[in-house]
Amino acid sequence: MKAAEFDYARAASVEEVCRLLDSANGDGKIIAGGQTLVPLMVMRLTRPSLLIDVNHIETLKGIMIDSDAVVIRACTRQYDALNDVALAKALPLLAKGLAMVGHPQTRNRGTVGGSLANSDPAAEICLLARVLDAEITAVSSQGSRVIADKNFALGAMTTALSSEECLTEVRFPIWQIAGRIGTAFDEMSIRRSDFALVSAACQVALDQSGVCRRAVVGIGGAEPSPLRVDAMEQRLVGTKLEATDLAAAADLLRDAIDPITDNHASADYRRRVARELSLRVMTVARDEALAARN
Amino acid sequence: MAEQNFRYISKKRRPKEDRRFLAGSGVFVADIAIPGMLHVGLVASPYSFARIRSINAEAALALPGVHLVVTGEDIVAGTDPMMSGLDAPKLRRYVLADGIARYAGEWVAAVVADTRAIAEDAAELVEVEYEPLTPVTDPEQAMSSESPPLHPEHGSNILFQKKWVWGTVEEDFAAADHRIAFRARWHRSSTVPIETFGVVSQWNQAQQLLDVWASIQMPKFHDLLGRALRVPGNAIRVHYDVDVGGSYGVKRGLKHSILGGYLAKRLGVPVKLMEDRLENMRGGDAQGPDRIFDMQAAFNNDGMIRSLKIRALDDCGAHAGRAPLQLGKPVGAICGPYKVNSVEYEAISVTTNKTPQEAVRGFGQAPTNFALETMVDRVAAHLGMDRLEIRRRNLITADQFPYLIPSGSTYDSGDFHTVLDKTLTAATYNDLIKRRDAARAAGKLAGIGLSTCLEPSGGNSAFEPLFNPKNETTTWMEASTIKVDPFGAIVVIMNTSTSGQGHETLAATVAGEILERDPDTIRVLHADSLSAMPSNSPVGSRMAIMLGGATAGAGKKIKASVTAIGAKKLGVAIDAVEYRDGNVVLRSDPSKKVSWEVIVEIAHRKFHELPEGMEPGLQASFVLEVPTGGTLPDATGRVQMYPCYAFESHIVYAEIDRVTGQVTLGPYTVGHDCGVMINPDIVHGMTYGGIAHGIGAALYERFLYDDTGQLLSGTFMDYLIPSSHEVPDVKIIDHCTPSPLTAFGQKGSGEAGYLGGPAAIACAVNDALSPLGLKIAELPMTPSVLGDLIATVENKRT
Amino acid sequence: MSEHDITLKVNGRTYRGKASARMTLVDFLRDELRLTGTHTGCEHGVCGACSIIFEGQAIRSCLMFAVQADGASITTVEGLAEPGTLSVLQDCFWETHALQCGFCTPGMLIASQTLLDKNRLPTDEEIREAISGNLCRCTGYKQIVDAVKLAAQRLSGLNAPVKSDG
C-alpha cells in the first residue's frame, strides 16, 4: 500500500494553487487534511501526477461569523470548527453534525473543505451543507464562483468542481427568521465512528404559536449524495409538527428516496432507517424549538 | 475455593514484558532492517478461479530497482508443497499459484525490489493472462458431484468427511420425549491482529544457514519451513525473540516464509516480505471457520438433554490449511459442560473459491459452543422452560469430576453451578430481568443472554491422528530450561515466540515460585530454533499448563541440586535439610544454613564440594508431555483431546433498536474458572480481549464474499473490528477449581471470553427478539441483518 | 520523481533526511529515522497504530506524506518520557496491564496522552471517545480505560493540595 509516484508542491497562496492546477493538465490534486485522499492514493485508486499541499495557506484557514452566516474557510480543521463556541451558538446544527465526524485523530487533521470536496455520500459535512443551503466558493485562474450546495455534489465522490478549481470557503447561512429554532442531527453507523449507513439532519423554525414557518430535513448516506425532499419539507410548514405531521412527512421521504445497496445494508434497510431517522431528528428539532426561549 | 499458599503465583504483579512496549522499544518484524535488504511485492489473482495462461515480467524487470520476478513455475521447481495435515496426498499447495489461481487474492507472482514502493510499481507491470473458470462459493453446492473440483487431482471438493457415533444415539433419540432440529450458521471471521504477518529472511552462503525473523506463532514452523525449502532443519534458524503483534492463532505465515526463504536463498541477499493490510485480508490465508451446523437434540420433559446429532460443514476455502483439523478439536468438548449420554458428530470440510483459513482462537470451539448454546436455548423454548433452569439441570455437577464424555475425553475438574451462581449474583440477574421487562413495557426490544461454555486447554494435537490415521502424533511437548550463573542470576529459556500472552511473566513467576527468588530478578529468553529444546508454540490455551509445568519441572531439578549441594556443605543427609528462599537450612537448627550465593559458587567453581556424580554448573531442562497425552484414538474415534477444561458463564444485557437493528450491549458479566491463575491481570486481560473478539464475531465482523468469490470486506473500513465504543465495561468474576493434572492447579485461559461470548450475545439477541416471535441462529448479527429480520414482522404489524 | 529534503523536530531533536514525495510520514519516521516505536497496522487511516503528536495534536502518520511535515514538530512514543523512564501514563498502563502484544500500545499512549493534556479528569466516556480511533485486538480496552483513569487521578493528585485528614 504505497502510493504511485507523484510530484509535490507546497503552495503559499491560492493563486499559486491555481497556477499549479493549471500546470498539471487536469492531473493535479489538492491535499488538505488527506484523511480521504491518502487512503485512495495508497490503494492506488487515485494517482495524481501532482499533489498540491494547501495546508500552509493561512488565508484558507479560519471561521468568520456574523449575523448572516458562518463562513468556514476550506482548510479549517474539523477539530477547530467543532470546538468553536461562537459557531455552535450561531449554527447549533453545524456543531451537532461536526461532533459525529470520524474520531478525534481524523478531526484533528481533516478539514471542512476537504470533506466537501471529496463528497463522500455518508460524510456529515456534506449533509450539513445540503440542509443548510451552503454556498461553496471555488477559485481558479479564471476567477472565482459561488456554487449553491444543491448544485455541488454530482454523485458519490464527484462534485461540480473542475480539476482546475480550488475550494476556498463554504458559507452556511443563518436563517433570518423570527421565531424559535430547533435542530437535530442523528446517524446510524455500524460502529459509532464509522461512516453512516444513513444520517439525518433537521432544522425547524416555529413561530410564537408553535406553527412551523420553515423546515429542512436532509438525509445522508442513503443515496450517492445527500438529499432533501421538497414535498416533505412543505408538508411540515404551516403545521404544529404534531406526530401525525412528522409521520406523514417521513412517509413522503420513504416514498421518494432511492437508496443504494452495498455490503453493509440493503436499499430497503436504508429506506426504513432513513424514514426512522428523519422522524427522530424532526421530533428532537421540534422539541428543542418548543423548549427554546424566544 | 481452593487457595494454595503461593508466594508469587496468583498475586498482582506487573508483567515483565510490558515495559519495553510502553517505551516503544519492542522489536517487531517490521522493525528489523538489515543492510542491503530488499523488499517483496506480490501479484495477486483478480479472479477467484482462473487458469494462468502466461506471465510476462519483462516490463516489471525493466523498472529500475527491480531484482527478480518469480512465478509459480519457479516455486514448483524450487520448493516442495505445503502439507495439508490430511491423508490426501494429491492435494498440492504451493506458495504461488501453480497454473491455477483458486481464490481472488492468491499470489501469482512475487517481485523483489529495492523498496516496497518500487516492488508495488513492478507488481502492477507484471502481465498475467488468465482464463477465468466458473467459481464455486457455496459449500453445499461445492459438495455436489456436479461441481468441478478446485483440485482436480484430489477428485472432489470434499477434503474430509467422517461421522462418529459415540454411544447409543439412535436408541436415545427414539426413547426421548422430544426432538428438535435446526441449522446454525457461523460466518467467516478471524482474529485479524493489528500487526499483519511479516518475515525477514537472510541466507548465509558461507554457513549454509537461513536466518528467519518472523511474526510467527506456529508449532513445527521451522521443520515445515525446512522441508518445503528442501534443506534440513538445522540449516534454518528461526529467531523466536521477535515480538509478535497479536496472533490468537493465525500468525502462521508458512507460505510467506517459504517464499521469503526461497527468494533470500536465490538472491543471496536479505529479503523482507511484509504483508500490507489488503494482502493480509485477502491473501494472508488467515481467515477463520465458516461453518454450517445442522443440529439435532433429543431430550425429555424434564429438560434433560439425552443425545445430540451434530453435522458440521466447514467451508475451508481454496486450500486445506488448518481448517479441516479445526473440526477436530471440538470433539474434546462436543457436548459442552452438559451431561449428554450419546453424541453423533459428522465433520465435513469442503473447498470453495475463497481465501484459505488459519487456526483461529479456540480452534473451532467458539463456533461449536455457539451451536451448542443455541441448541440449549431452543430446547428450553420448546419446553417452555427457563434458560437458566435448563442449564442448571444439564450442567455436570461438581461431584461428578473427573467426568468422561461420550467422545472419550475426561473433564479434569470444575464447579459449574457455583461459577454460574456467582455470575448471577454479580450480574444482579433479578434486577436485569426487571430492567429488561421494564424496557419491553416501554416498547423496546430488550434481552438477556447467557452462556455456559468450556475452554479446553493444554493444547494437545490428538485431532491430528483422529483426522489422519497415518499421523501417529501422541505428544505435543513443551520444554523449559533454567540456568543460574556463577553469581546467582537466573535465566529461563523458553523455546518459542510470544504474541502478547505474557509468557515471560509466566516463566519468571513459576521459576521464582519454585526457587523462591523474586521473579523481577529473573530474565526470560526466547531460544532460536537451532538452540531451542522442543516446543509446540502457544496454541490451544496451553502455555500456563505446558510452559508453566516445564518451568516448574526445571525449577524442581535446580532446587534438588541446590539442596544436595547445601546438605553436603553442611555435612548432613539431604533429608536433614530444607530449601528456603534459595538457601539450604538445617531442619533441626535453621540458624545453620548455606546461602544461595555459596551454593551457586560451589556449583560453578568448586567441583570438589559437589555431591558425587553431580554435573558442574547449575542448569536444568525439563520437557513436559501434555498431561493425559500419549494415546491414539480408539477404533470408534474416542480420544482424550486436551487435558484441562476451564469454564466460563456469561450474562449480558442487550437492547436492539427496532428499526436500525443496532445492538447495544451491557452490562456484561462473566464468571471464569481457569483454576489457579499465574498472573491475574494477564488472565483478566485475555478474557476482556476474548469477549471483545467475541463481540466482533457476534455482531460486526465478516469476510463477506459475493457469488463470484470476490471479497467485499477486505479493508478495515469494511471488516469491522470493535472499537472502545462497541465493547462495554465487562465485569469478571473469578473462581478457582484447581486442575489435578497441572503443576499448580492452573488451566489455560488464552481463549477465555471468546469461547462463550458469541453464544451469550446471540442468546441475548434472541431473547430480545422473542416477543416478536423471531429467532436467528446466524452470526454475525449485523444491524442490517437484524433490521431486515425485524422488518418482516414490523411491516405486517403496520 | 521528486525527492525532497526534510527537516523535522522529533521528540525535541532535529532530524534531517530525504524522502520521495510518496513516502508517508510513518514510513519516514520508521525507515529513515529508525524511530520504530510508531507502528503501521492498516496504512489506510483506520487502526490508529501510527498515531503521533503532530504540532500538538494526535494524528495518524499514515495519512500524511513526509514531505508535508517538513518543518513540523512531532512527538512519538519514544518521546513521551525522558529516556530510561516512564511517564505517569506509561507507568499506569504498566500498573493495570493495559496492553498485551504491545502493537497498538504506542498509538493508545498517544491518544490517551493528548486527552490528558486537554482534560485532566476525563470520564470513562471521554476516554473511550479519545481512544475510539485506535483499534486493539488484545485487551478489549478495559484495562486501557482503567490506566487512563488511574493516570488522571495520579496527575491531578500531584497538583492537589495535601490533605491531612487522610
Side-chain angles (χ1 to χ4, degrees), chain A residues 1-2 44 47 189 191-192 263-264 269 272 280, chain B residues 120-121 124 276 657 660 662 712 718 721 726 784 788:
Chain A
M1 289 176 77
K2 310 296 178 194
R44 300 195 177 198
R47 299 164 183 250
S189 54
R191 294 175 301 185
R192 203 195 295 179
N263 52 343
H264 293 303
Y269 175 88
R272 289 191 306 270
R280 291 180 190 176
Chain B
E120 290 188 25
D121 295 341
E124 289 186 325
D276 67 24
D657 186 296
T660 67
Q662 182 76 277
L712 302 178
D718 298 300
I721 291 171
E726 283 67 52
S784 68
D788 288 349

PDB file of all heavy atoms in Angstrom, chain A residues 1-2 44 47 189 191-192 263-264 269 272 280, chain B residues 120-121 124 276 657 660 662 712 718 721 726 784 788:
ATOM      1  N   MET A   1       0.838  -1.184   0.000  1.00  0.00           N
ATOM      2  CA  MET A   1       0.000   0.000   0.000  1.00  0.00           C
ATOM      3  C   MET A   1       0.878   1.241   0.000  1.00  0.00           C
ATOM      4  O   MET A   1       0.923   1.976   0.977  1.00  0.00           O
ATOM      5  CB  MET A   1      -0.923  -0.015   1.217  1.00  0.00           C
ATOM      6  CG  MET A   1      -1.993  -1.073   1.102  1.00  0.00           C
ATOM      7  SD  MET A   1      -2.998  -1.176   2.570  1.00  0.00           S
ATOM      8  CE  MET A   1      -4.044   0.238   2.380  1.00  0.00           C
ATOM      9  N   LYS A   2       1.570   1.439  -1.077  1.00  0.00           N
ATOM     10  CA  LYS A   2       2.378   2.644  -1.256  1.00  0.00           C
ATOM     11  C   LYS A   2       1.826   3.368  -2.478  1.00  0.00           C
ATOM     12  O   LYS A   2       1.543   2.736  -3.508  1.00  0.00           O
ATOM     13  CB  LYS A   2       3.855   2.297  -1.478  1.00  0.00           C
ATOM     14  CG  LYS A   2       4.455   1.330  -0.445  1.00  0.00           C
ATOM     15  CD  LYS A   2       4.492   1.889   0.961  1.00  0.00           C
ATOM     16  CE  LYS A   2       5.065   0.855   1.934  1.00  0.00           C
ATOM     17  NZ  LYS A   2       4.821   1.228   3.352  1.00  0.00           N
ATOM     18  N   ARG A  44      -3.899   3.087  -4.509  1.00  0.00           N
ATOM     19  CA  ARG A  44      -3.708   3.384  -5.936  1.00  0.00           C
ATOM     20  C   ARG A  44      -5.035   3.464  -6.692  1.00  0.00           C
ATOM     21  O   ARG A  44      -5.116   3.128  -7.878  1.00  0.00           O
ATOM     22  CB  ARG A  44      -2.746   2.369  -6.583  1.00  0.00           C
ATOM     23  CG  ARG A  44      -1.373   2.394  -5.899  1.00  0.00           C
ATOM     24  CD  ARG A  44      -0.292   1.705  -6.685  1.00  0.00           C
ATOM     25  NE  ARG A  44       1.007   1.848  -5.994  1.00  0.00           N
ATOM     26  CZ  ARG A  44       2.175   1.659  -6.572  1.00  0.00           C
ATOM     27  NH1 ARG A  44       2.252   1.307  -7.842  1.00  0.00           N
ATOM     28  NH2 ARG A  44       3.289   1.814  -5.890  1.00  0.00           N
ATOM     29  N   ARG A  47      -4.418   8.499  -8.662  1.00  0.00           N
ATOM     30  CA  ARG A  47      -2.997   8.653  -8.999  1.00  0.00           C
ATOM     31  C   ARG A  47      -2.735  10.028  -9.576  1.00  0.00           C
ATOM     32  O   ARG A  47      -2.482  10.159 -10.777  1.00  0.00           O
ATOM     33  CB  ARG A  47      -2.580   7.615 -10.037  1.00  0.00           C
ATOM     34  CG  ARG A  47      -2.740   6.194  -9.598  1.00  0.00           C
ATOM     35  CD  ARG A  47      -2.676   5.297 -10.830  1.00  0.00           C
ATOM     36  NE  ARG A  47      -2.889   3.920 -10.450  1.00  0.00           N
ATOM     37  CZ  ARG A  47      -1.956   2.985 -10.480  1.00  0.00           C
ATOM     38  NH1 ARG A  47      -0.743   3.265 -10.909  1.00  0.00           N
ATOM     39  NH2 ARG A  47      -2.220   1.760 -10.102  1.00  0.00           N
ATOM     40  N   SER A 189     -24.599   4.382  12.260  1.00  0.00           N
ATOM     41  CA  SER A 189     -23.373   3.788  11.734  1.00  0.00           C
ATOM     42  C   SER A 189     -23.176   2.481  12.479  1.00  0.00           C
ATOM     43  O   SER A 189     -23.654   2.329  13.599  1.00  0.00           O
ATOM     44  CB  SER A 189     -22.189   4.724  11.943  1.00  0.00           C
ATOM     45  OG  SER A 189     -22.094   5.095  13.296  1.00  0.00           O
ATOM     46  N   ARG A 191     -20.351   0.847  13.600  1.00  0.00           N
ATOM     47  CA  ARG A 191     -19.607   1.239  14.797  1.00  0.00           C
ATOM     48  C   ARG A 191     -19.789   2.745  14.917  1.00  0.00           C
ATOM     49  O   ARG A 191     -19.963   3.432  13.915  1.00  0.00           O
ATOM     50  CB  ARG A 191     -18.126   0.897  14.655  1.00  0.00           C
ATOM     51  CG  ARG A 191     -17.855  -0.588  14.588  1.00  0.00           C
ATOM     52  CD  ARG A 191     -16.385  -0.849  14.331  1.00  0.00           C
ATOM     53  NE  ARG A 191     -15.944  -0.234  13.085  1.00  0.00           N
ATOM     54  CZ  ARG A 191     -14.733  -0.385  12.562  1.00  0.00           C
ATOM     55  NH1 ARG A 191     -13.832  -1.115  13.182  1.00  0.00           N
ATOM     56  NH2 ARG A 191     -14.401   0.204  11.430  1.00  0.00           N
ATOM     57  N   ARG A 192     -19.677   3.263  16.107  1.00  0.00           N
ATOM     58  CA  ARG A 192     -20.048   4.654  16.284  1.00  0.00           C
ATOM     59  C   ARG A 192     -19.213   5.600  15.426  1.00  0.00           C
ATOM     60  O   ARG A 192     -19.712   6.614  14.945  1.00  0.00           O
ATOM     61  CB  ARG A 192     -19.939   5.051  17.756  1.00  0.00           C
ATOM     62  CG  ARG A 192     -20.826   6.258  18.035  1.00  0.00           C
ATOM     63  CD  ARG A 192     -20.515   6.930  19.345  1.00  0.00           C
ATOM     64  NE  ARG A 192     -20.794   6.083  20.487  1.00  0.00           N
ATOM     65  CZ  ARG A 192     -20.576   6.477  21.743  1.00  0.00           C
ATOM     66  NH1 ARG A 192     -20.105   7.682  21.979  1.00  0.00           N
ATOM     67  NH2 ARG A 192     -20.822   5.663  22.734  1.00  0.00           N
ATOM     68  N   ASN A 263     -22.434  -3.692   0.732  1.00  0.00           N
ATOM     69  CA  ASN A 263     -22.239  -4.898   1.540  1.00  0.00           C
ATOM     70  C   ASN A 263     -22.622  -4.698   3.000  1.00  0.00           C
ATOM     71  O   ASN A 263     -22.621  -5.638   3.771  1.00  0.00           O
ATOM     72  CB  ASN A 263     -20.810  -5.431   1.411  1.00  0.00           C
ATOM     73  CG  ASN A 263     -19.778  -4.372   1.683  1.00  0.00           C
ATOM     74  OD1 ASN A 263     -20.084  -3.189   1.668  1.00  0.00           O
ATOM     75  ND2 ASN A 263     -18.558  -4.770   1.944  1.00  0.00           N
ATOM     76  N   HIS A 264     -22.930  -3.471   3.414  1.00  0.00           N
ATOM     77  CA  HIS A 264     -23.332  -3.247   4.799  1.00  0.00           C
ATOM     78  C   HIS A 264     -24.845  -3.218   4.979  1.00  0.00           C
ATOM     79  O   HIS A 264     -25.334  -3.497   6.065  1.00  0.00           O
ATOM     80  CB  HIS A 264     -22.728  -1.947   5.323  1.00  0.00           C
ATOM     81  CG  HIS A 264     -21.239  -2.001   5.441  1.00  0.00           C
ATOM     82  ND1 HIS A 264     -20.593  -2.950   6.194  1.00  0.00           N
ATOM     83  CD2 HIS A 264     -20.264  -1.235   4.884  1.00  0.00           C
ATOM     84  CE1 HIS A 264     -19.283  -2.768   6.118  1.00  0.00           C
ATOM     85  NE2 HIS A 264     -19.057  -1.741   5.326  1.00  0.00           N
ATOM     86  N   TYR A 269     -33.310  -1.569   3.750  1.00  0.00           N
ATOM     87  CA  TYR A 269     -32.874  -1.205   5.100  1.00  0.00           C
ATOM     88  C   TYR A 269     -32.657   0.301   5.182  1.00  0.00           C
ATOM     89  O   TYR A 269     -33.128   0.969   6.101  1.00  0.00           O
ATOM     90  CB  TYR A 269     -31.578  -1.957   5.427  1.00  0.00           C
ATOM     91  CG  TYR A 269     -30.958  -1.571   6.763  1.00  0.00           C
ATOM     92  CD1 TYR A 269     -31.338  -2.222   7.938  1.00  0.00           C
ATOM     93  CD2 TYR A 269     -30.012  -0.550   6.855  1.00  0.00           C
ATOM     94  CE1 TYR A 269     -30.793  -1.866   9.158  1.00  0.00           C
ATOM     95  CE2 TYR A 269     -29.457  -0.192   8.071  1.00  0.00           C
ATOM     96  CZ  TYR A 269     -29.849  -0.856   9.215  1.00  0.00           C
ATOM     97  OH  TYR A 269     -29.298  -0.498  10.424  1.00  0.00           O
ATOM     98  N   ARG A 272     -35.936   2.231   5.287  1.00  0.00           N
ATOM     99  CA  ARG A 272     -36.601   2.201   6.599  1.00  0.00           C
ATOM    100  C   ARG A 272     -35.874   3.087   7.607  1.00  0.00           C
ATOM    101  O   ARG A 272     -36.485   3.829   8.374  1.00  0.00           O
ATOM    102  CB  ARG A 272     -36.636   0.762   7.146  1.00  0.00           C
ATOM    103  CG  ARG A 272     -37.573  -0.172   6.435  1.00  0.00           C
ATOM    104  CD  ARG A 272     -37.727  -1.478   7.228  1.00  0.00           C
ATOM    105  NE  ARG A 272     -36.452  -2.115   7.517  1.00  0.00           N
ATOM    106  CZ  ARG A 272     -35.869  -3.008   6.726  1.00  0.00           C
ATOM    107  NH1 ARG A 272     -36.445  -3.384   5.605  1.00  0.00           N
ATOM    108  NH2 ARG A 272     -34.711  -3.534   7.050  1.00  0.00           N
ATOM    109  N   ARG A 280     -36.909  10.884  13.920  1.00  0.00           N
ATOM    110  CA  ARG A 280     -36.210  11.195  15.165  1.00  0.00           C
ATOM    111  C   ARG A 280     -35.673  12.627  15.140  1.00  0.00           C
ATOM    112  O   ARG A 280     -35.802  13.359  16.125  1.00  0.00           O
ATOM    113  CB  ARG A 280     -35.074  10.194  15.407  1.00  0.00           C
ATOM    114  CG  ARG A 280     -35.594   8.800  15.730  1.00  0.00           C
ATOM    115  CD  ARG A 280     -34.487   7.781  15.986  1.00  0.00           C
ATOM    116  NE  ARG A 280     -35.053   6.434  16.040  1.00  0.00           N
ATOM    117  CZ  ARG A 280     -34.342   5.315  16.181  1.00  0.00           C
ATOM    118  NH1 ARG A 280     -33.024   5.374  16.268  1.00  0.00           N
ATOM    119  NH2 ARG A 280     -34.952   4.146  16.221  1.00  0.00           N
TER     120      ARG A 280
ATOM    121  N   GLU B 120       5.844  -2.587  -5.523  1.00  0.00           N
ATOM    122  CA  GLU B 120       4.429  -2.448  -5.889  1.00  0.00           C
ATOM    123  C   GLU B 120       4.286  -1.887  -7.303  1.00  0.00           C
ATOM    124  O   GLU B 120       3.399  -2.301  -8.058  1.00  0.00           O
ATOM    125  CB  GLU B 120       3.694  -1.558  -4.878  1.00  0.00           C
ATOM    126  CG  GLU B 120       3.530  -2.229  -3.527  1.00  0.00           C
ATOM    127  CD  GLU B 120       2.644  -1.436  -2.573  1.00  0.00           C
ATOM    128  OE1 GLU B 120       1.788  -0.660  -3.033  1.00  0.00           O
ATOM    129  OE2 GLU B 120       2.819  -1.608  -1.355  1.00  0.00           O
ATOM    130  N   ASP B 121       5.162  -0.930  -7.656  1.00  0.00           N
ATOM    131  CA  ASP B 121       5.145  -0.411  -9.033  1.00  0.00           C
ATOM    132  C   ASP B 121       5.352  -1.566 -10.023  1.00  0.00           C
ATOM    133  O   ASP B 121       4.659  -1.678 -11.038  1.00  0.00           O
ATOM    134  CB  ASP B 121       6.274   0.609  -9.252  1.00  0.00           C
ATOM    135  CG  ASP B 121       6.110   1.863  -8.404  1.00  0.00           C
ATOM    136  OD1 ASP B 121       4.992   2.127  -7.924  1.00  0.00           O
ATOM    137  OD2 ASP B 121       7.123   2.582  -8.237  1.00  0.00           O
ATOM    138  N   GLU B 124       2.537  -4.117 -10.549  1.00  0.00           N
ATOM    139  CA  GLU B 124       1.493  -3.656 -11.472  1.00  0.00           C
ATOM    140  C   GLU B 124       1.872  -3.916 -12.936  1.00  0.00           C
ATOM    141  O   GLU B 124       1.011  -3.965 -13.802  1.00  0.00           O
ATOM    142  CB  GLU B 124       1.266  -2.145 -11.305  1.00  0.00           C
ATOM    143  CG  GLU B 124       0.586  -1.775 -10.005  1.00  0.00           C
ATOM    144  CD  GLU B 124       0.252  -0.286  -9.948  1.00  0.00           C
ATOM    145  OE1 GLU B 124       1.035   0.535 -10.475  1.00  0.00           O
ATOM    146  OE2 GLU B 124      -0.771   0.042  -9.374  1.00  0.00           O
ATOM    147  N   ASP B 276       0.861  -6.041   3.408  1.00  0.00           N
ATOM    148  CA  ASP B 276       0.088  -4.864   3.776  1.00  0.00           C
ATOM    149  C   ASP B 276      -1.317  -5.340   4.156  1.00  0.00           C
ATOM    150  O   ASP B 276      -1.636  -6.529   4.067  1.00  0.00           O
ATOM    151  CB  ASP B 276       0.116  -3.777   2.695  1.00  0.00           C
ATOM    152  CG  ASP B 276      -0.588  -4.156   1.407  1.00  0.00           C
ATOM    153  OD1 ASP B 276      -1.478  -5.029   1.427  1.00  0.00           O
ATOM    154  OD2 ASP B 276      -0.241  -3.563   0.351  1.00  0.00           O
ATOM    155  N   ASP B 657     -32.309  -1.783  18.598  1.00  0.00           N
ATOM    156  CA  ASP B 657     -33.144  -0.738  18.005  1.00  0.00           C
ATOM    157  C   ASP B 657     -34.087  -1.399  16.991  1.00  0.00           C
ATOM    158  O   ASP B 657     -33.637  -2.106  16.079  1.00  0.00           O
ATOM    159  CB  ASP B 657     -32.255   0.300  17.323  1.00  0.00           C
ATOM    160  CG  ASP B 657     -33.051   1.494  16.821  1.00  0.00           C
ATOM    161  OD1 ASP B 657     -33.911   1.318  15.926  1.00  0.00           O
ATOM    162  OD2 ASP B 657     -32.794   2.596  17.327  1.00  0.00           O
ATOM    163  N   THR B 660     -33.201   0.269  13.286  1.00  0.00           N
ATOM    164  CA  THR B 660     -31.842   0.167  12.746  1.00  0.00           C
ATOM    165  C   THR B 660     -31.228  -1.209  12.978  1.00  0.00           C
ATOM    166  O   THR B 660     -30.239  -1.560  12.339  1.00  0.00           O
ATOM    167  CB  THR B 660     -30.909   1.204  13.402  1.00  0.00           C
ATOM    168  OG1 THR B 660     -30.752   0.868  14.784  1.00  0.00           O
ATOM    169  CG2 THR B 660     -31.456   2.606  13.270  1.00  0.00           C
ATOM    170  N   GLN B 662     -29.594  -2.000  15.443  1.00  0.00           N
ATOM    171  CA  GLN B 662     -28.352  -1.811  16.199  1.00  0.00           C
ATOM    172  C   GLN B 662     -28.496  -2.445  17.582  1.00  0.00           C
ATOM    173  O   GLN B 662     -29.477  -2.207  18.282  1.00  0.00           O
ATOM    174  CB  GLN B 662     -28.084  -0.309  16.318  1.00  0.00           C
ATOM    175  CG  GLN B 662     -26.816   0.068  17.032  1.00  0.00           C
ATOM    176  CD  GLN B 662     -25.594  -0.145  16.165  1.00  0.00           C
ATOM    177  OE1 GLN B 662     -25.082  -1.250  16.077  1.00  0.00           O
ATOM    178  NE2 GLN B 662     -25.135   0.879  15.496  1.00  0.00           N
ATOM    179  N   LEU B 712     -15.572  -8.760  -0.288  1.00  0.00           N
ATOM    180  CA  LEU B 712     -16.152  -7.418  -0.214  1.00  0.00           C
ATOM    181  C   LEU B 712     -15.746  -6.666   1.048  1.00  0.00           C
ATOM    182  O   LEU B 712     -16.053  -5.488   1.189  1.00  0.00           O
ATOM    183  CB  LEU B 712     -17.686  -7.512  -0.267  1.00  0.00           C
ATOM    184  CG  LEU B 712     -18.268  -8.203  -1.499  1.00  0.00           C
ATOM    185  CD1 LEU B 712     -19.787  -8.280  -1.396  1.00  0.00           C
ATOM    186  CD2 LEU B 712     -17.860  -7.484  -2.775  1.00  0.00           C
ATOM    187  N   ASP B 718     -14.318  -1.945   6.019  1.00  0.00           N
ATOM    188  CA  ASP B 718     -15.425  -2.876   5.761  1.00  0.00           C
ATOM    189  C   ASP B 718     -15.428  -4.078   6.699  1.00  0.00           C
ATOM    190  O   ASP B 718     -16.477  -4.660   6.958  1.00  0.00           O
ATOM    191  CB  ASP B 718     -15.344  -3.392   4.319  1.00  0.00           C
ATOM    192  CG  ASP B 718     -15.479  -2.272   3.327  1.00  0.00           C
ATOM    193  OD1 ASP B 718     -16.524  -1.610   3.351  1.00  0.00           O
ATOM    194  OD2 ASP B 718     -14.540  -2.053   2.543  1.00  0.00           O
ATOM    195  N   ILE B 721     -13.756  -4.289  13.156  1.00  0.00           N
ATOM    196  CA  ILE B 721     -13.266  -4.718  14.466  1.00  0.00           C
ATOM    197  C   ILE B 721     -13.840  -3.778  15.529  1.00  0.00           C
ATOM    198  O   ILE B 721     -13.812  -2.561  15.353  1.00  0.00           O
ATOM    199  CB  ILE B 721     -11.727  -4.664  14.472  1.00  0.00           C
ATOM    200  CG1 ILE B 721     -11.172  -5.762  13.558  1.00  0.00           C
ATOM    201  CG2 ILE B 721     -11.172  -4.788  15.880  1.00  0.00           C
ATOM    202  CD1 ILE B 721      -9.681  -5.659  13.333  1.00  0.00           C
ATOM    203  N   GLU B 726     -17.706   0.047  21.145  1.00  0.00           N
ATOM    204  CA  GLU B 726     -18.583  -1.124  20.965  1.00  0.00           C
ATOM    205  C   GLU B 726     -18.425  -2.157  22.067  1.00  0.00           C
ATOM    206  O   GLU B 726     -19.238  -3.080  22.178  1.00  0.00           O
ATOM    207  CB  GLU B 726     -18.306  -1.788  19.612  1.00  0.00           C
ATOM    208  CG  GLU B 726     -18.904  -1.074  18.429  1.00  0.00           C
ATOM    209  CD  GLU B 726     -18.268   0.281  18.167  1.00  0.00           C
ATOM    210  OE1 GLU B 726     -17.028   0.369  18.073  1.00  0.00           O
ATOM    211  OE2 GLU B 726     -18.998   1.266  18.084  1.00  0.00           O
ATOM    212  N   SER B 784     -27.943  -4.584   9.737  1.00  0.00           N
ATOM    213  CA  SER B 784     -28.837  -4.773   8.588  1.00  0.00           C
ATOM    214  C   SER B 784     -29.510  -6.143   8.640  1.00  0.00           C
ATOM    215  O   SER B 784     -30.678  -6.281   8.273  1.00  0.00           O
ATOM    216  CB  SER B 784     -28.096  -4.569   7.268  1.00  0.00           C
ATOM    217  OG  SER B 784     -27.170  -5.588   7.051  1.00  0.00           O
ATOM    218  N   ASP B 788     -33.439  -6.051   8.933  1.00  0.00           N
ATOM    219  CA  ASP B 788     -34.257  -6.697   7.897  1.00  0.00           C
ATOM    220  C   ASP B 788     -35.158  -7.768   8.507  1.00  0.00           C
ATOM    221  O   ASP B 788     -36.308  -7.942   8.101  1.00  0.00           O
ATOM    222  CB  ASP B 788     -33.365  -7.306   6.812  1.00  0.00           C
ATOM    223  CG  ASP B 788     -32.711  -6.248   5.925  1.00  0.00           C
ATOM    224  OD1 ASP B 788     -33.114  -5.072   6.010  1.00  0.00           O
ATOM    225  OD2 ASP B 788     -31.791  -6.587   5.161  1.00  0.00           O
TER     226      ASP B 788
END
